[in-house]
Amino acid sequence: MAVRPVRQGRAQDRVPDDLPGRVAGNLPGGVELYHLRPDGGILLADRDGSRELGPEREFLRFIDDGQFAHYLVGDAGTSPERPSNATVKLGVVGPRSAFTPHAHGGEHFVLSLGHASCGLYDEARGRVTDVPLAPGMLIRIPEMMPHSFANRGDDPLTILAANTGYGIDHEDYAITAAEAERRARSTGGGSGGRTALAAEPVTDYRALAAELRDIERAQRVHGIAATTVRERLAARLRRVATALEVPR
């Protein structure tokens, strides 16, 4: 994955400021400013200077190898028993890659800053549907809906993801097909209550596993959709616009 490494040294020496007006030195203490670049890089500035975030220090593994997350609200241990109401994190999705299909115990919001897509299982229609996303589009996914987010571009994709009630370390954060099948076997059938939310309606894990497998099959058959010529041109123009707005 082409995520730039974090440079060593003092904060002000790691990377030159490339935020509007070189604002880092003027920020009040405790204030952080993030620049989400069109090339997938993420620059963090505070009173001490600026640095580029990278997987060596500031990022956690995000469901799959090669995908990364940086928490803004909550942490990986957030859960109904250890609540922060929601988690909000920056994610970096590798070029032309997709997450393993999964379902979250809580609802999920994803803001895409590049060309992405989201494969979703439509239970009412009994089929997988693929929703293309352009930069600036935010998608809401209800709790326990099988889905998989993909990067259609050739560069790392930055996303802003918010989940209600769950951090990455919680067992109900991302339930994959393999995990749903395991839960179905452990309950002696297809149903069982979610471990963290016993008062909630039971989940048919056998059906959930089948729906997640359908998304996996769709990924194998169709692969990750490519960006169009217009989208690639728009991405280049967006980089030019960023260079004009945020001079180095």
Side-chain angles (χ1 to χ4, degrees), residues 11-238:
Q12 59 267 36
D13 294 334
R14 291 174 189 161
V15 295
D17 289 331
D18 68 343
L19 293 161
R22 298 180 180 270
V23 298
N26 296 322
L27 293 173
V31 174
E32 294 179 339
L33 184 63
Y34 292 80
H35 181 199
L36 312 182
R37 294 166 169 161
D39 63 358
I42 302 173
L43 186 73
L44 168 61
D46 56 24
R47 190 177 187 130
D48 295 325
S50 61
R51 66 185 185 277
E52 195 155 10
L53 299 184
E56 290 86 353
R57 289 179 56 192
E58 293 94 346
F59 280 82
L60 302 174
R61 183 177 180 273
F62 193 5
I63 300 178
D64 295 311
D65 292 337
Q67 320 290 21
F68 301 95
H70 176 77
Y71 275 85
L72 301 177
V73 176
D75 56 40
T78 295
S79 72
E81 293 77 27
R82 187 175 174 274
S84 61
N85 297 319
T87 62
V88 180
K89 54 192 172 292
L90 292 172
V92 180
V93 186
R96 297 207 50 76
S97 69
F99 289 107
T100 299
H102 57 273
H104 296 292
E107 64 180 340
H108 186 37
F109 297 83
V110 181
L111 171 65
S112 176
L113 298 179
H115 295 103
S117 63
C118 190
L120 302 154
Y121 189 83
D122 187 338
E123 184 177 4
R125 294 186 174 95
R127 69 187 187 195
V128 177
T129 184
D130 195 62
V131 179
L133 300 171
M137 288 187 176
L138 183 147
I139 187 168
R140 174 186 178 271
I141 304 169
E143 64 181 75
M144 299 305 289
M145 175 174 283
H147 64 281
S148 177
F149 197 85
N151 178 5
R152 296 188 288 120
D154 295 324
D155 295 316
L157 167 68
T158 302
I159 62 175
L160 182 67
N163 292 70
T164 55
Y166 295 87
I168 289 174
D169 288 348
H170 194 276
E171 61 187 354
D172 283 345
Y173 175 78
I175 304 170
T176 63
E179 173 60 16
E181 290 164 350
R182 186 196 67 78
R183 296 187 187 192
R185 291 192 299 271
S186 68
T187 58
S191 299
R194 277 182 279 162
T195 56
L197 299 176
E200 294 289 325
V202 296
T203 298
D204 186 338
Y205 287 113
R206 184 171 296 164
L208 176 62
E211 294 166 357
L212 290 164
R213 294 298 185 194
D214 281 349
I215 298 179
E216 291 179 355
R217 280 190 289 273
Q219 287 181 338
R220 287 196 301 270
V221 172
H222 302 293
I224 298 172
T227 53
T228 66
V229 173
R230 292 178 61 178
E231 287 174 330
R232 291 192 291 273
L233 176 60
R236 286 194 286 269
L237 293 174
R238 194 170 293 108

